[in-house]
Amino acid sequence: MVEQILQVEHLEKYYQKKHVLHDINFHVDKGEVVTLLGPSGSGKSTLIRCLNGLEEYQQGTITFEGKQINPTEKNWQQIRQKIGMVFQSYDLFPNLTVMDNILLGPTKVQKQDKFAAKKEGLDLLTRVGLEDYANAYPRQLSGGQKQRVAIVRALALHPDFMLFDEVTASLDPEMVRGILNIIQDLADVDHMTMIVVTHEMNFAQQIADRVIFLEDGHILEQTPSKQFFSAPQTKRAQEFLDSMDF
Amino acid sequence: MDHSGISVLFEGTNFERLLGGLWVTVKIAAVALIVGLILGIVLGVLRTFKNRPLRVILRLYLEFFRIVPTVVLLFLFYYILPREMNFNLPGDQLATLVFALWVAAEMSDIVRGALISVPQHQRESGKAIGLNRYQLYRYVLIPQAISLEIPATINLATRVIKTTSLLMLISVMDVINIGQQIIEANNHTHPTGVFWVYGLIFLFYFLIDYPLSWWAKRLEKKRLERANG
Ligand SMILES: Nc1ncnc2c1ncn2[C@@H]1O[C@H](COP(=O)(O)OP(=O)(O)O)[C@@H](O)[C@H]1O
Ligand SMILES: [Mg+2]
């Protein structure tokens, strides 16, 4: 039997009065890549932000690696070391060099040995083609380079699970491919478990094992990737795919 | 007797006494600034927390020191508090205390303003790598806030230094008080001494404050240039 790493049950999320997530139920298997698709404003960001405690939810449960999460800030601080997240805005810390951005989590949060962490940081930078930029400041990097560093910064904590929220959406088109290749590589080589929110449909099709389709805060379908892109179960998903023009 | 006014500055130990007064002024301003800045950073950080009662109290503290004129504060602490509360401090220490509390109040507002203008994304990416609140402030938010707040802090320092001219009102032997004594003592022999003494004091203040305000302007300009690419 495949091991489940994450279960979400009956999750409800409100922003004040506004109900943005309705009875969300899904699970993710270990090593699985799930893409979360849906129109803008359907709640994709809100949902994955709930999964690492950046948003509070009002009802329901999240179970991670077999343990139901008690959603206090203290617990989330522990869990976030296991669930890496990369955002759309490439928000490195501008006051720190690339290497110090990467080392902050491993050395301050996880108290890893600085020397070893640095060596590993360099290996990761090499992997994304940025080994020459360890001592550069974020303002000296292009958007695509910053986003690669942001991915490395998340990986340096040895997460079991990665969340990607439209990480190529604010990049110049010529930068996009490089970032997508890195994510693809994480799936193929590291068998990283991940949830990927993207509007790059070709990429979604290529990387996903399964698609979760969200609209107006409801999960309309959860379908194996092949099937979703050839014959989705719902009319709304079909319309969404038609509108995406890929 | 016919003296040219300027010689009053160099008669006897006058010049040394003026320098001594300047030292008292500078010392009070410097200690008040250092203590006030540190306290102000702490208060500024606390003012960004969600705790409502804490925020209200710190806000009232700021408004008190901002609204009440510094002269009144000095009188309050020097003449009224000792009588009412049996709280006695020599004038210079008391002045240091009042100025430090004032700097802390103003600084708390500068720090708070700088902290809340650090983009929300920074806070979230810090949390996303597992930083706790202390680490988030220590490594991410405060360093970024500091580069935003340096010009305003230097401007605060120049204001504090200028305002030390009020110290004579509570009998501190600062540079102005000593200048006043020298003028009075030499009034007969050097009727124009007042110009020279105050001229020198003007020069002292100018030499301290002008470079500071020039530096603040330059840093602000550099920061804007950098922010606009
Ligand atoms: N901080 C917020 N406060 C209030 N409403 C919000 C907030 N963030 C998002 N929303 C609303 O929640 C809904 C889902 O938004 P979001 O999760 O960003 O969607 P998506 O990522 O799919 O575009 C939208 O209607 C959006 O306007
Ligand atoms: Mg979004």
Side-chain angles (χ1 to χ4, degrees), chain B residues 178-198:
Chain B
I178 293 199
Q180 196 64 35
Q181 285 181 351
I182 291 174
I183 291 164
E184 277 158 25
N186 297 278
N187 218 352
H188 293 295
T189 50
H190 300 78
T192 58
V194 60
F195 290 109
W196 295 102
V197 171
Y198 273 104

Side-chain angles (χ1 to χ4, degrees), chain B residues 101 121 162 202 227:
Chain B
L101 290 175
H121 285 138
K162 273 194 293 195
F202 167 82

